[in-house]
Amino acid sequence: MAIARVGEFRRDASVGMGWVARGAVGWAAAYGCLRVWFATGHAPDWKFPGGDLLVPDWVAVGGCVVSAATVLALHRRPSSRLLIRALWAVAAGWVAAAALALLDVVGGVLPGLGIPFDWKGMVSRLAALGGAALLGRTALTYRRRLGPGRSLEAIPIWAVIGAWSAVAGCLIRLAAQAVVGFDTPYGANLSLILFEGGFLLAGIVLPLLLVYRVGRFFPRWMLLLPGAGLGGGITAYFGVGLLQMIAAAVQGKPVYGDIGLPDAFFWVAVPAYVMWGVGLAVATYGYYLRTRKPA
């Protein structure tokens, strides 16, 4: 029986490259060519400062090379947990690079907020996120070939801590805004009201639904999808923003000096957003483990 199981594992591990992995390699090649085209002076005029991604064009080209190389290496060594984790890290890197997609969503759904809508940049960012999805799905496929994944019978304490950290981050962000005032140049229009309502739902209601019993009354996808999307998006966008702030401070430059708010506001608000995003992502992962079906 033991020999049969070993043989079965080896057959599963040596399965040929599936369509998802092939798609990931194809995406890396196609998107890499596009980034080379942009890097050689053919990029369109982006509406957001800095371009369509939060990394330079040649860095994005290198990211495409690393993406394809990691998938191919994993195909040659399908039982390598190190390569699986590396592929997850590469996918997360693309999500961070395309973090401006969060503004695309907000600006597209709520145009009254005054966020510029850059459809060319949005298409490029969606392509990057699509590649991240292919890379993540590839990593998940190879991980599942190694056997059943981890599952939990109850929400772990670290997920509860993550949920309350998200709530705390949201409340700290609101407190920082209260100090400088809630006045906006757009008035109390419908888009602003909807944004503020969604802000509270994502910052207070959603994290707690993920870790407490009342969340069981909702369909799994209704909590899992927004939890993962918002948790990853907020962490990526404001995590990169925090790194930019630190770099500016080291160079003696003001942070977001063109916005007209004191630096102290950003040193409170941006880390609070990061706390919110990370906490929400942690709570969502705990919810995922708790509600996944046994293999």
Side-chain angles (χ1 to χ4, degrees), residues 40 50 54 70 85 93 126 149 154 170 197 231 236 250:
T40 53
L54 295 179
T70 307
R85 295 189 183 99
L126 288 178
C170 177
V250 170

Side-chain angles (χ1 to χ4, degrees), residues 2-21:
I3 296 176
R5 289 177 182 174
V6 172
E8 182 180 356
F9 172 80
R10 288 178 177 173
R11 286 195 299 271
D12 290 341
S14 61
V15 174
M17 183 181 293
W19 69 267
V20 177

